[in-house]
Amino acid sequence: MKKAVTIQDISCFGKCSLTVALPIISAMGIETAVIPTAVLSTHTGGFTGYTFRDLTDDIPEIANHWKNLNLKFNAVYTGYLGSAEQINIVSEFFDDFRTEENVIIVDPVLGDNGKFYAGFGEDFAEKMSSLCSKADYILPNMTEASFMLKIPYTETYERNYAENILRRLAGLGCKIPVLTGVHFDNREQGAMAYDSVNDRFYCSFGENIERSVHGTGDIFASVFTGAVTLGKDIQKSLDIAVNYTVECIKATMPYFEEMWYGSCFELCIGKLIEMTK
Ligand code: PXL
């Protein structure tokens, strides 16, 4: 059985990070270990007054115990990290748990719609880009890509622009950057990948639903991680991740008013299992 470990926060209410990654990667038939980087009462996207317990000091202790147990993972996948120090520790974790065969996937969670998430800024983006240099795959949206490349964010762009961004992201040192939330018009939305080893681009698009649903980046990243862990190729992994994310957005629409903080991804888990077969 394949084994993945995901390193990100647990937002107790709000459907993102670990409460999305754990059910999704598990549903894909992969044993999913977790390292929670922080415990928040809710995520930071629209809630106020949330609690934040930092678990930075626990991460090296968990890693040491796992080293003693000689644990190995087919995939190491990181999401939201709460501080620059945490990035240093996760970077060491990559060194300790990198094997000849496994994949390292970094979702450089920094922001969306041209803005940083609460508590993040330019220094943190620079630190995150250094973590990306150690990854096989990175999964930024256009906002995160722009922050890491230190270029202005643009809402509208053409295919050439996205390809150029992908080449520059590969220049950070990762093998296969994947740009998420890509759209050239308002009919379709999807993701593009650049395999810098073979100099090849890949893309996958689905129906664009013009509503912003919180946590879809984490859904995409979790499914993509699951697909790659199962050994699916780049194209297939993009297709499953895009299709499932679109399904989740569609399923959320009837509940949109009450679901401003997250998606109804649970309603589509059955479809995900079908897509994974
Ligand atoms: O969905 C990314 C994410 C993860 N974790 C926390 C967040 C967010 C986005 O807002 O606030 C705590």
Side-chain angles (χ1 to χ4, degrees):
M1 194 173 176
K2 300 282 189 190
K3 228 191 237 109
V5 53
T6 179
I7 307 175
Q8 46 188 322
D9 72 282
I10 183 151
S11 291
C12 301
F13 185 83
K15 300 208 259 193
C16 69
S17 41
L18 277 187
T19 62
V20 166
L22 183 53
I24 286 183
I25 303 172
S26 299
M28 296 175 82
I30 297 160
E31 179 180 345
T32 312
V34 299
I35 299 187
T37 55
V39 181
L40 291 82
S41 51
T42 65
H43 62 63
T44 67
F47 294 103
T48 51
Y50 47 83
T51 67
F52 187 105
R53 181 166 306 276
D54 183 69
L55 298 180
T56 304
D57 293 344
D58 294 64
I59 306 173
E61 292 181 24
I62 295 169
N64 276 337
H65 185 207
W66 286 6
K67 272 197 274 181
N68 291 336
L69 293 173
N70 202 21
L71 295 187
K72 303 259 186 280
F73 298 96
N74 301 98
V76 179
Y77 153 44
T78 69
Y80 182 100
L81 300 172
S83 64
E85 193 194 346
Q86 257 178 25
I87 296 183
N88 291 337
I89 290 172
V90 166
S91 176
E92 281 172 28
F93 187 92
F94 288 173
D95 297 339
D96 290 339
F97 287 86
R98 166 64 98 186
T99 68
E100 299 263 303
E101 300 89 40
N102 73 359
V103 287
I104 292 182
I105 298 164
V106 172
D107 183 4
V109 176
L110 294 169
D112 206 358
N113 302 311
K115 294 198 184 74
F116 279 111
Y117 291 132
F120 294 161
E122 281 163 19
D123 291 350
F124 190 71
E126 191 166 331
K127 197 85 198 152
M128 190 62 98
S129 69
S130 70
L131 187 69
C132 287
S133 72
K134 289 194 169 178
D136 297 299
Y137 297 88
I138 62 169
L139 312 170
N141 58 34
M142 194 54 101
T143 300
E144 292 157 344
S146 306
F147 285 144
M148 289 198 296
L149 296 173
K150 300 182 180 168
I151 56 172
Y153 168 75
T154 168
E155 184 57 44
T156 53
Y157 48 84
E158 292 182 353
R159 193 186 175 93
N160 273 350
Y161 183 83
E163 289 187 354
N164 187 266
I165 293 278
L166 281 163
R167 282 190 197 278
R168 291 173 69 169
L169 287 169
L172 295 176
C174 73
K175 254 186 253 149
I176 306 175
V178 179
L179 200 52
T180 65
V182 176
H183 52 90
F184 305 125
D185 54 45
N186 51 19
R187 281 175 293 125
E188 286 191 319
Q189 176 157 196
M192 282 178 74
Y194 174 56
D195 177 354
S196 65
V197 179
N198 298 301
D199 193 26
R200 262 194 77 177
F201 287 98
Y202 297 83
C203 64
S204 185
F205 287 94
E207 188 185 335
N208 182 33
I209 296 129
E210 287 198 70
R211 283 285 178 92
S212 172
V213 175
H214 193 274
T216 50
D218 296 346
I219 293 173
F220 180 93
S222 302
V223 178
F224 188 84
T225 296
V228 166
T229 307
L230 291 173
K232 309 225 182 268
D233 63 24
I234 301 176
Q235 187 62 56
K236 185 76 185 160
S237 302
L238 281 182
D239 288 343
I240 300 176
V242 167
N243 289 341
Y244 181 67
T245 307
V246 170
E247 287 299 330
C248 293
I249 297 171
K250 278 192 195 160
T252 308
M253 286 306 103
Y255 306 96
F256 192 71
E257 292 305 314
E258 63 180 291
M259 288 308 309
W260 59 270
Y261 58 84
S263 75
C264 297
F265 75 94
E266 301 91 336
L267 299 177
C268 312
I269 291 274
K271 282 190 182 160
L272 176 63
I273 294 169
E274 283 305 310
M275 289 178 196
T276 307
K277 279 182 183 158

